[in-house]
Amino acid sequence: MFSPIVTDYWLETFASEHPAAHDATFTVSVNADLSADRPAMLLHTADGVLRAVLTPSVANALGLPKLRPRNEAELRRALSNAGVAFHAPDNLFYFSRADLDALLADEPHPDVRQLSDADAELFARFQSEAPQQELDEAYVELDHWAVFGAFAHGRLVTAASVYPWGDARIADVGVLTLPEYRRRGRARAVVRALCRFAAQQGFEPQYRCRLDNHASRAVAEAAGLTHFGTWEAASSESPGT
């Protein structure tokens, strides 16, 4: 259903020649190449599989390979006992291959365009009018790889930006709409325009949002993205990292 760019990235990230636990729906891997910024990660995919990957130091803190967790509850208990703390989980969305083809055939929206440094003043005003917490969570910046915006009467009211996700051909999307302009389809239009641009450059668009951000999830689904799973990353300040 999804591009091999997406599936291969996650399978390789959570792969191990000698998994600490493995069955049809639960795997625990140790990966020495895992970034110290994310010393442990969990991935629940929509097919019901939980994959976990740990740095060797976190694995040692858990007592692996002597301790072999048999399920998610045992793994989470061991992680908690070792002091490994996770950031809030994110939903992950991608385009199916069929929906990506439809996206590439889209006509440009008349109120949406790509932004540049020439829009710095408009963008600064947009940031000043957006709720600070939402601005921090959306992580939309004018100096990202690509930025698109929607306008109302010459005013920037929705902005979305994208940047490459590590070394993968995946582009991570953030979007934010000013509160008084929501539920009018602008976020959908901007996300589709930005994702179309990323896909034309050979990247698979990735949309992330917190599990409790139902409005953001609605934008993803309206834009034609499909839920892939949920992802959790441990804090770099966790013990043993």
Side-chain angles (χ1 to χ4, degrees):
M1 181 177 187
F2 299 100
S3 163
I5 292 175
V6 172
T7 54
D8 289 352
Y9 168 75
W10 288 110
L11 287 174
E12 289 169 7
T13 299
F14 284 79
S16 175
E17 291 184 7
H18 305 288
H22 179 75
D23 65 30
T25 60
F26 178 68
T27 66
V28 180
S29 303
V30 180
N31 186 344
D33 295 327
L34 200 62
S35 169
D37 291 337
R38 297 168 181 161
M41 295 193 296
L42 305 176
L43 178 69
H44 269 286
T45 45
D47 58 3
V49 177
L50 171 65
R51 295 176 175 86
V53 62
L54 319 169
T55 60
S57 57
V58 170
N60 290 336
L62 266 61
L64 300 179
K66 184 178 180 180
L67 170 68
R68 289 183 176 269
R70 294 168 296 178
N71 52 48
E72 179 180 356
E74 289 187 4
L75 173 63
R76 287 190 181 274
R77 186 160 52 247
L79 288 164
S80 178
N81 291 340
V84 179
F86 284 83
H87 298 294
D90 282 342
N91 280 311
L92 291 171
F93 294 86
Y94 300 98
F95 285 98
S96 69
R97 283 177 284 190
D99 288 333
L100 189 62
D101 289 340
L103 175 75
L104 291 170
D106 257 3
E107 293 293 329
H109 192 283
D111 296 328
V112 176
R113 66 169 174 83
Q114 188 170 2
L115 305 182
S116 69
D117 291 342
D119 298 299
E121 186 175 339
L122 282 171
F123 193 82
R125 179 185 174 187
F126 169 80
Q127 288 184 307
S128 70
E129 295 171 335
Q132 187 59 51
Q133 182 178 347
E134 295 179 10
L135 195 62
D136 294 340
E137 291 179 359
Y139 190 42
V140 176
E141 301 290 345
L142 190 61
D143 62 356
H144 280 171
W145 174 49
V147 192
F148 279 70
F151 293 82
H153 310 294
R155 179 187 179 194
L156 179 63
V157 298
T158 300
S161 65
V162 65
Y163 59 91
W165 180 258
D167 297 328
R169 300 290 290 180
I170 292 174
D172 196 61
V173 174
V175 61
L176 180 62
T177 299
L178 297 181
E180 62 267 38
Y181 287 93
R182 292 172 185 170
R183 297 185 178 88
R184 304 184 189 184
R186 288 188 173 90
R188 174 190 181 276
V190 172
V191 167
R192 285 187 68 84
L194 181 63
C195 289
R196 183 168 62 251
F197 173 87
Q200 289 169 340
Q201 313 308 309
F203 284 78
E204 288 292 326
Q206 171 179 276
Y207 188 107
R208 290 184 298 128
C209 66
R210 296 289 172 84
L211 301 192
D212 59 354
N213 193 337
H214 305 298
S216 187
R217 177 168 186 149
V219 170
E221 293 171 346
L225 291 129
T226 297
H227 189 241
F228 178 81
T230 61
W231 171 71
E232 297 175 64
S235 166
S236 60
E237 298 176 0
S238 295
T241 60

